[in-house]
Amino acid sequence: MTESSVGRMEEEEEEDLVSGTFTWRIDNFSTLNKQKHYSDDFVVGGYKWRILIFPKGNNVDYLSVYLDVADASTLPSGSTRYAKFRLTLVNQVDSKKSITKDTEHEFVANDWGFTSFILLSELCDHDKGYLVNDFCVVEAEVSVCNGIKILEDQETGELIDFRGLGRVEKTFVPFLEEVCSSYPSLLECHKKRSRTFIQCAFTALGRLLRFLKTTKAKDMTRGACKCLQLLWEELETFKFDLVWLEPHVQSVLVMKRRAGKVDRLREDVEILENEIKRRRDILAAAEVDLEVAKRDLAKAEEEFKIDMDTELGYPLP
């Protein structure tokens, strides 16, 4: 941790989504002379991230703020990660005036964010509340799909050449060979792109194909559906001709949504049946109590016979 930055990390998991918030206090802001300034690394969903700022602006008169892949230099070629994230410049006087911007991105060992986050003149205006005692606070809230991370953990990390186009995960190759033999256009459409782009593209395709071939219908939980949706969105960014695959992927997602609706309706019916049984039990108990009360009333009336028209009067000596 550097003298000019203090970071705090909080992480939580909800269903298939892992989210974490990292708070970065940037001290001695006016003395930051480097073009780029990085926070400490933090981990969300098993991935390393960091915040990147341009204190003097990234060729603009604005503070530039990005989310960066912290371990990009050590990742295998073609590695990607998808994340939704929110960056906030905290207003230290009035939190309601904090500036928040959010987006999502498929990271390929790079950074992504906002070049024009806040005018430098506004940031440095001490009356605005963003820069107080020469420090400011930037927060990053990052959400990643836990299912994607699980899939990546299943990969061997062993890369092999795929048809001279680039190196991809070894376990993807049988699936890629199968579909490329049936759909040669997959090989032709990216031949003029860079080797890095091609490796990322076929890695995304291989990951989706392996998911479809190794996942059973019964395993399509809500988390698995979310994972499939993200894999498909990732693959779409590479502009393959996927008219042969899209109907199948969508049918799987629709099938699961319908199955989910059936499951929810089945749960509703079970709840109502249990409620009816509970109320019937209450009614049966009430009927027993009613019969007892009727018998007690009849007995009391028998023991207390009196002519209601008789004068009450009062005793005399």
Side-chain angles (χ1 to χ4, degrees):
M1 183 174 295
T2 64
E3 293 181 356
S4 60
S5 65
V6 179
R8 186 177 71 255
M9 177 66 202
E10 297 176 359
E11 185 174 17
E12 60 183 29
E13 183 170 344
E14 181 178 352
E15 295 180 350
D16 62 306
L17 200 64
V18 179
S19 299
T21 301
F22 178 77
T23 302
W24 183 25
R25 169 173 164 156
I26 308 171
D27 292 311
N28 305 315
F29 186 85
S30 62
T31 66
L32 300 178
N33 296 318
K34 292 183 179 180
Q35 182 186 22
K36 297 181 180 182
H37 189 56
Y38 292 94
S39 74
D40 292 326
D41 296 354
F42 60 94
V43 177
V44 177
Y47 297 119
K48 287 185 178 181
W49 309 93
R50 59 184 176 178
I51 304 172
L52 163 64
I53 67 167
F54 286 69
K56 308 300 183 184
N58 187 6
N59 299 315
V60 293
D61 293 326
Y62 288 79
L63 175 70
S64 304
V65 187
Y66 306 91
L67 181 67
D68 182 57
V69 176
D71 52 352
S73 62
T74 64
L75 296 176
S77 176
S79 294
T80 63
R81 63 181 66 168
Y82 173 88
K84 294 182 178 181
F85 64 94
R86 174 179 300 165
L87 298 172
T88 299
L89 175 64
V90 177
N91 189 298
Q92 300 174 62
V93 175
D94 184 354
S95 61
K96 293 181 180 179
K97 294 182 179 179
S98 296
I99 299 174
T100 297
K101 298 186 179 185
D102 51 11
T103 185
E104 54 188 89
H105 184 62
E106 181 70 29
F107 289 85
V108 186
N110 62 346
D111 56 68
W112 191 259
F114 306 93
T115 300
S116 302
F117 201 92
I118 182 177
L119 278 167
L120 291 173
S121 58
E122 184 177 357
L123 171 66
C124 296
D125 184 343
H126 300 300
D127 293 332
K128 296 293 186 180
Y130 300 107
L131 190 62
V132 177
N133 296 326
D134 206 25
F135 79 85
C136 62
V137 179
V138 177
E139 290 183 348
E141 181 181 347
V142 183
S143 299
V144 298
C145 179
N146 195 35
I148 296 289
K149 178 60 178 172
I150 292 173
L151 288 177
E152 293 178 356
D153 288 343
Q154 294 171 351
E155 296 170 13
T156 65
E158 182 180 352
L159 304 179
I160 63 174
D161 182 75
F162 175 64
R163 297 200 178 192
L165 296 172
R167 294 169 64 79
V168 299
E169 163 71 25
K170 181 179 180 180
T171 58
F172 297 164
V173 172
F175 310 118
L176 291 171
E177 289 286 2
E178 184 177 29
V179 299
C180 288
S181 297
S182 299
Y183 305 98
S185 63
L186 294 170
L187 299 170
E188 300 296 327
C189 65
H190 288 324
K191 279 192 172 181
K192 295 182 179 180
R193 305 301 292 264
S194 69
R195 188 175 182 86
T196 298
F197 181 93
I198 293 173
Q199 289 179 164
C200 292
F202 280 96
T203 294
L205 178 58
R207 189 172 289 143
L208 176 67
L209 294 175
R210 188 182 67 173
F211 179 91
L212 292 172
K213 290 289 282 188
T214 59
T215 305
K216 295 181 171 59
K218 66 179 182 180
D219 298 325
M220 286 301 291
T221 61
R222 185 188 306 178
C225 281
K226 180 66 174 177
C227 184
L228 176 58
Q229 183 68 49
L230 292 176
L231 289 173
W232 177 251
E233 291 174 358
E234 173 190 9
L235 183 58
E236 283 185 312
T237 64
F238 292 103
K239 306 301 181 183
F240 280 108
D241 179 5
L242 299 172
V243 293
W244 56 277
L245 182 59
E246 182 174 9
H248 178 69
V249 171
Q250 297 304 326
S251 69
V252 172
L253 293 172
V254 169
M255 172 191 69
K256 188 55 188 179
R257 282 196 291 269
R258 290 174 178 171
K261 182 178 180 180
V262 171
D263 289 340
R264 288 192 297 273
L265 290 173
R266 185 177 291 113
E267 290 176 1
D268 291 344
V269 169
E270 184 177 350
I271 290 171
L272 290 171
E273 287 177 341
N274 290 334
E275 180 64 14
I276 289 173
K277 182 179 182 301
R278 185 184 70 83
R279 296 189 180 189
R280 283 174 177 167
D281 291 341
I282 293 174
L283 178 59
E287 288 175 343
V288 171
D289 292 341
L290 176 60
E291 291 302 318
V292 172
K294 284 180 177 180
R295 288 196 298 270
D296 291 344
L297 174 61
K299 183 178 180 181
E301 288 177 338
E302 183 67 29
E303 294 174 349
F304 184 67
K305 287 186 176 181
I306 185 172
D307 185 353
M308 301 304 292
D309 293 325
T310 302
E311 182 183 279
L312 295 178
Y314 47 85
L316 291 174

